[in-house]
Amino acid sequence: MLTVNAYAAPSATEPLVPATIERRDVGPRDILIEIRYAGICHSDIHTVRGEWGAVAYPLTVGHEIVGVVAEVGAAVTKHALGDRVGVGCMVNSCRECANCLAGEEQYCLNGNVGTYAAVDRDGTITQGGYSTHIVVDEDFVLRVPESIPYEAAAPLLCAGITTYSPLRHWKAGPGSKVAVVGLGGLGHMAVKLAHAMGAEVTVLSQSLSKADDGRRMGADHYFATSDPATFQTLKNSFDLIINTVSAVIDLDAYLRLLALDGTMVNVGAPPEALPLHVFTLFGNRRSFAGSGIGGIRETQEMLDFCAEHGLACDIEVIAPDQINEAYARLEKSDVRYRFVLDMARI
Ligand code: NAP
Ligand code: ZN
Ligand code: ZN
């Protein structure tokens, strides 16, 4: 066992504090990663606050992890010492069910093993990336392309794949009109990815304060949802809407912006139920869908796509002792556009 430095939440209501956690010995198919950077996802906040359900404390979160391979097990073939690697939202799955066999381990019918707050194979609770090291099965470790700086690559492991996967599944591309609701961590990557795929991209943000940034990221249009005229101007116009908002929004108002056969995909994960009127779906034969992260194969495809198109995340690098301040800012939508922890400063 390896004892490593980390930041952990002592409870749902207290600030995160320095802590130590145990990492298992490196097994035959395991990789020890020296973590360089870890992104702060809004899911980390939902989880530590217990908003999605009870979790065991103390808990270390973080599932946007990049670092260097520091040790490999005897049977490891996919990664070597010194490789630049990443770990996202899951560290294992059953590998036998239909969904795992289809390469969609995130939808493992026996439940994927989340990078944090999940029950691992050995019965322990998984602890995430706000730490200096992690031990992960090689099959759940990604290659981080050389051309993407470590710190700007970290958030791709969740924010990148969570938006790439639905954009691919619902075929964003030349000729399609895509709207992204919320320009935060997920939203800013949705804009960059949809633009790189060739779609016409519109941002729907609470205000116009980030419009210049949005256009620089590739948005063709930018509207404020605080202005009721936005919902008139844009009705019946989009093929795909990606909703990244972490809170409850008026779904019907956004669904009315879909064109014939359009789909609104919810990736935002507020704890509360989201009400909608089915009559809004009857109009234009609209669909309302959800999407959860992405499989390992698709996550690698996304990383390679970002390298090929020169994409990475817009980040604010912070020291681990600034986590609580970053959480407070994230809760006020004050982020440009992902906080990333520099683990060397722990
Ligand atoms: P984030 O950086 O906080 O971005 C969310 C954005 O939503 C904010 O920047 C803000 O954008 C907008 N927003 C926030 N509160 C709002 C409100 N009350 N009304 C309208 N708009 C609001 O969060 P994130 O890390 O991107 O995560 C977003 C959500 O996705 C979270 O719920 C997270 O748990 C979830 N998530 C889901 C998956 C999945 O697999 N489906 C994966 C990762 C994360 P503007 O300022 O531009 O309005
Ligand atoms: Zn996440
Ligand atoms: Zn499975």
Side-chain angles (χ1 to χ4, degrees):
M1 280 258 257
L2 186 63
T3 302
V4 304
N5 288 321
Y7 261 72
S11 72
T13 51
E14 289 165 281
L16 275 63
V17 292
T20 56
I21 54 177
E22 304 291 327
R23 296 302 190 189
R24 67 169 178 260
D25 287 331
V26 176
R29 300 182 57 84
D30 281 340
I31 289 179
L32 172 69
I33 300 168
E34 182 194 312
I35 300 176
R36 291 284 165 86
Y37 294 93
I40 296 182
C41 177
H42 208 116
S43 302
D44 301 348
I45 302 184
H46 291 307
T47 303
V48 297
R49 302 264 197 263
E51 291 171 6
W52 287 343
V55 290
Y57 300 97
L59 178 68
T60 293
V61 291
H63 58 204
E64 296 183 334
I65 301 167
V66 290
V68 189
V69 175
E71 193 182 329
V72 294
V76 165
T77 58
K78 293 181 176 153
H79 306 279
L81 272 185
D83 281 0
R84 307 168 94 243
V85 291
V87 176
C89 303
M90 52 185 175
V91 289
N92 215 340
S93 71
C94 84
R95 303 154 189 246
E96 290 170 359
C97 72
N99 293 358
C100 281
L101 294 175
E104 306 273 15
E105 304 89 354
Q106 74 279 29
Y107 303 126
C108 176
L109 297 170
N110 296 303
N112 74 57
V113 180
T115 303
Y116 56 72
V119 180
D120 210 347
R121 277 181 301 200
D122 59 6
T124 59
I125 302 294
T126 55
Q127 303 292 328
Y130 297 2
S131 63
T132 56
H133 297 78
I134 190 168
V135 176
V136 181
D137 185 293
E138 66 164 340
D139 291 337
F140 286 77
V141 175
L142 289 305
R143 273 177 287 108
V144 176
E146 288 288 339
S147 63
I148 312 177
Y150 275 120
E151 57 274 37
L156 295 176
L157 276 305
C158 175
I161 183 58
T162 301
T163 49
Y164 182 90
S165 186
L167 287 168
R168 280 291 190 227
H169 184 79
W170 279 277
K171 301 188 169 42
S176 65
K177 292 187 177 184
V178 175
V180 175
V181 190
L183 195 71
L186 267 57
H188 94 288
M189 281 316 303
V191 171
K192 291 184 184 204
L193 290 163
H195 174 70
M197 290 173 190
E200 182 179 332
V201 184
T202 300
V203 173
L204 301 173
S205 180
Q206 293 168 95
S207 76
L208 297 179
S209 64
K210 298 178 281 191
D212 290 344
D213 289 350
R215 290 212 173 77
R216 180 176 49 74
M217 292 167 192
D220 301 283
H221 317 283
Y222 202 105
F223 287 86
T225 53
S226 52
D227 180 357
T230 293
F231 292 91
Q232 276 306 312
T233 311
L234 298 176
K235 66 182 177 195
N236 306 321
S237 43
F238 301 110
D239 302 302
L240 180 61
I241 299 176
I242 307 282
N243 174 24
T244 75
V245 175
S246 49
V248 174
I249 58 170
D250 177 0
L251 288 186
D252 292 296
Y254 290 83
L255 284 164
R256 285 185 208 104
L257 308 185
L258 289 171
L260 184 66
D261 289 328
T263 301
M264 173 154 155
V265 182
N266 224 88
V267 290
E272 304 85 3
L274 291 173
L276 71 83
H277 290 98
V278 291
F279 287 95
T280 321
L281 299 176
F282 298 168
N284 275 343
R285 197 164 48 200
R286 299 174 174 116
S287 299
F288 181 61
S291 185
I293 52 173
I296 294 297
R297 178 178 34 76
E298 193 173 44
T299 304
Q300 190 62 58
E301 179 188 305
M302 175 277 306
L303 288 165
D304 296 340
F305 179 90
C306 287
E308 190 186 322
H309 292 267
L311 304 182
C313 304
D314 287 25
I315 52 168
E316 286 186 53
V317 176
I318 60 169
D321 64 6
Q322 295 171 285
I323 291 175
N324 296 301
E325 205 180 301
Y327 274 26
R329 284 185 52 196
L330 209 48
E331 286 178 315
K332 290 185 293 186
S333 302
D334 175 19
V335 54
R336 301 202 177 196
Y337 283 83
R338 197 56 134 191
F339 292 108
V340 173
L341 301 170
D342 177 357
M343 295 319 306
R345 288 153 75 185
I346 200 163

